[in-house]
Amino acid sequence: MVRKKVPEWLNSTMWSTPPPPPSSYDDGLHRHSPVTKMKEEAQSISVAPRLNSAPPPSSAASSVPSPSPRPRNGSSIPSGSGENRNAGGSSSEDFSRQAHLSAELSKKVINMKELRSLALQSLPDSPGVRSTVWKLLLGYLPPERSLWSTELKQKRSQYKHYKDELLTSPSEITWRMVRSKGFDNYDLKSESRCMLARSRITDEDHPLSLGKASIWNTYFQDTETIEQIDRDVKRTHPDIPFFSGESSFARSNQESMKNILLVFAKLNQGIRYVQGMNEILAPIFYVFRNDPDEDSSSHAEADAFFCFVELLSGFRDFYCQQLDNSVVGIRSAITSLSQLVKKHDEELWRHLEITTKVNPQFYAFRWITLLLTQEFSFFDCLHIWDALLSDPEGPLESLLGICCAMLVLVRRRLIAGDFTSNMKLLQHYPTTNISHLLYVANKLRSKMLL
């Protein structure tokens, strides 16, 4: 078989650097076992376990030059801080893009095509800009500014109704039902205060009822989900004060995230809550909660809920284990990534999947299901998501393109590596210049369209 010629531009030194010396490469990475043991562990990985991977440690190696990387998750970020951080100082290009965005957002009817184009190479870290743009890109806000107030009022009221209906305790619901049946003037004796007479409690209202219509039975069935959400939310970005800590602000943010995830789980019985959804919610809620507009910030929970639902709608089948092997399941997406790599660089694809037996599901499962939130720092992910959300065809195509670009950027190290070193590299992706990564992804995609 004649091998497909590798495009010359892929071998340019600007795309990747040679592997660093072993001593520096191993810094920050776990020591590896023999190749045979690594293969056995990797082959035991199943697509069935859902989204429970821990964040990878930072790598000391960098595949491309980075002028001034943004803070990693270990950085100390003041709680409640906004997004106005500069990666490498302000530039005239940043000011120009910011002015262009401001002008576009101030129009009576926003040109969504133009807005998507501006967001494609990531948005400037200006207070409030990302919050508004993401709401527009996710369809939460309509292009017509005159409709914003009405839409927001309606959606926020709807979310409040969801919370009242789904998060109210069974005891409170029981009291409401009793009062609704005309017992508002029920005389509570001192010895029976806060208790209902047994004759007033139906089978469906009894705490020990196993009936399908029993609110108590439903409540106890939800306990496991509630406990899982609580554990995951508390583990969300423990080094960022916004999400963790003993401050009232952090606890309030955790409570809002728990509410969002629980309401989602109750409204989506087919999927409910899947471990790791907290990582997908985190960027959305963070951006909305840090909006400098007080009204927007105070309604961040409601706004984040609807945007979270919209974002997950394009990936929901990935979280349904019964669909793993279907054309809409996670295996199909991983196969699409493999085919994309083969089209762009058959030599790299062959070395990974044929020579070294690195099955893409060993690394791509987490990349795709968690939307790269575990591969880069939290603040780098915000810029990656700018590009994901700007795709008019949905975020999946852009996500696969960025995943392909991630492989291209470290192709020389992958070509030179064996199963063990390549697994380490792809499961702990090195620090990368995000702007450059997005540029490579766009270049690869544009070549596909030629």
Side-chain angles (χ1 to χ4, degrees):
M1 176 185 294
V2 179
R3 288 188 179 181
K4 182 179 178 181
K5 185 178 179 181
V6 179
E8 187 59 33
W9 63 274
L10 281 177
N11 290 314
S12 171
T13 55
M14 72 179 290
W15 300 100
S16 61
T17 57
S23 59
S24 63
Y25 176 69
D26 286 339
D27 290 342
L29 296 177
H30 299 295
R31 297 293 178 182
H32 62 273
S33 305
V35 174
T36 54
K37 183 178 179 181
M38 175 69 86
K39 284 187 176 182
E40 290 174 356
E41 293 175 350
Q43 289 169 353
S44 68
I45 298 175
S46 171
V47 173
R50 316 313 304 175
L51 315 187
N52 54 359
S53 301
S58 300
S59 171
S62 176
S63 62
V64 293
S66 180
S68 178
R70 297 182 179 87
R72 305 297 293 183
N73 280 355
S75 302
S76 177
I77 306 298
S79 61
S81 61
E83 302 166 54
N84 48 335
R85 290 170 301 277
N86 291 321
S90 299
S91 66
S92 58
E93 182 181 354
D94 290 335
F95 284 122
S96 176
R97 285 201 303 138
Q98 185 172 336
H100 197 168
L101 264 173
S102 298
E104 189 60 49
L105 293 175
S106 64
K107 293 180 179 178
K108 291 183 178 181
V109 179
I110 295 171
N111 185 328
M112 292 303 298
K113 183 177 180 180
E114 183 65 22
L115 186 65
R116 293 182 188 281
S117 177
L118 290 169
L120 187 60
Q121 277 296 323
S122 85
L123 298 165
D125 289 321
S126 303
V129 170
R130 181 170 282 114
S131 175
T132 302
V133 173
W134 280 16
K135 290 172 185 175
L136 285 161
L137 294 178
L138 286 167
Y140 183 60
L141 288 177
E144 299 83 359
R145 288 178 59 89
S146 61
L147 300 178
W148 287 8
S149 178
T150 304
E151 288 288 326
L152 289 174
K153 184 178 180 180
Q154 178 183 345
K155 290 293 181 63
R156 290 165 180 173
S157 175
Q158 185 178 354
Y159 179 70
K160 183 179 183 301
H161 173 72
Y162 286 154
K163 289 180 65 176
D164 290 342
E165 181 180 351
L166 301 173
L167 303 187
T168 304
S169 67
S171 56
E172 176 61 26
I173 294 176
T174 301
W175 273 109
R176 290 180 183 178
M177 292 172 64
V178 169
R179 288 195 295 267
S180 69
K181 294 176 181 178
F183 297 106
D184 291 323
N185 297 322
Y186 177 61
D187 182 24
L188 290 174
K189 305 297 183 181
S190 59
E191 65 273 13
S192 62
R193 190 174 302 278
C194 299
M195 297 178 62
L196 292 176
R198 178 66 185 90
S199 60
R200 304 186 191 282
I201 302 177
T202 64
D203 290 339
E204 287 75 16
D205 300 333
H206 196 284
L208 300 182
S209 173
L210 297 178
K212 292 183 179 180
S214 170
I215 55 177
W216 284 98
N217 186 31
T218 302
Y219 173 77
F220 290 128
Q221 287 180 346
D222 289 337
T223 300
E224 184 178 350
T225 300
I226 294 172
E227 291 176 350
Q228 182 64 64
I229 290 175
D230 183 68
R231 287 194 297 269
D232 289 351
V233 168
K234 288 179 178 178
R235 289 196 294 249
T236 304
H237 300 293
D239 296 322
I240 300 180
F242 176 92
F243 294 104
S244 62
E246 297 303 319
S247 69
S248 59
F249 182 70
R251 288 197 296 268
S252 172
N253 293 334
Q254 288 181 358
E255 198 62 32
S256 291
M257 291 181 64
K258 292 176 189 177
N259 291 340
I260 292 171
L261 294 171
L262 186 54
V263 170
F264 175 86
K266 291 197 171 193
L267 289 176
N268 294 271
Q269 292 295 321
I271 300 176
R272 296 186 64 78
Y273 173 76
V274 178
Q275 189 175 10
M277 285 183 177
N278 58 303
E279 300 292 349
I280 299 176
L281 171 62
I284 299 175
F285 181 70
Y286 173 87
V287 168
F288 293 176
R289 187 69 178 86
N290 279 307
D291 194 313
D293 180 77
E294 290 186 10
D295 183 63
S296 296
S297 179
S298 64
H299 290 97
E301 183 180 322
D303 297 346
F305 168 77
F306 286 103
C307 289
F308 173 73
V309 170
E310 179 61 30
L311 176 61
L312 227 57
S313 66
F315 299 95
R316 60 179 294 149
D317 292 334
F318 295 170
Y319 308 120
C320 185
Q321 188 173 340
Q322 291 80 1
L323 297 177
D324 278 350
N325 297 315
S326 70
V327 293
V328 295
I330 182 61
R331 287 186 187 274
S332 177
I334 293 175
T335 299
S336 296
L337 174 60
S338 174
Q339 294 171 346
L340 195 60
V341 175
K342 185 176 182 181
K343 289 179 181 178
H344 287 297
D345 191 342
E346 188 171 347
E347 180 185 6
L348 175 60
W349 171 84
R350 186 176 300 278
H351 181 76
L352 283 176
E353 299 194 27
I354 305 300
T355 304
T356 61
K357 307 295 183 183
V358 176
N359 190 313
Q361 86 174 43
F362 297 161
Y363 59 89
F365 178 80
R366 186 177 71 183
W367 289 11
I368 295 172
T369 55
L370 294 183
L371 308 191
L372 299 175
T373 56
Q374 301 297 282
E375 316 314 316
F376 303 96
S377 78
F378 178 77
F379 299 102
D380 280 345
C381 281
L382 299 184
H383 291 264
I384 292 176
W385 278 32
D386 292 339
L388 293 182
L389 301 183
S390 67
D391 194 330
E393 299 179 9
L396 180 58
E397 291 302 316
S398 287
L399 177 61
L400 295 180
I402 293 174
C403 290
C404 182
M406 289 168 64
L407 296 172
V408 167
L409 285 177
V410 293
R411 73 178 306 275
R412 291 192 174 188
R413 292 170 62 176
L414 291 172
I415 290 293
D418 57 11
F419 177 88
T420 303
S421 62
N422 286 345
M423 284 292 294
K424 281 175 45 177
L425 179 62
L426 297 178
Q427 290 185 340
H428 307 293
Y429 197 80
T431 306
T432 300
N433 184 308
I434 300 303
S435 296
H436 189 55
L437 172 63
L438 297 179
Y439 173 79
V440 174
N442 289 332
K443 188 174 179 67
L444 291 173
R445 190 165 185 178
S446 63
K447 291 181 72 68
M448 289 288 293
L449 299 176
L450 295 178

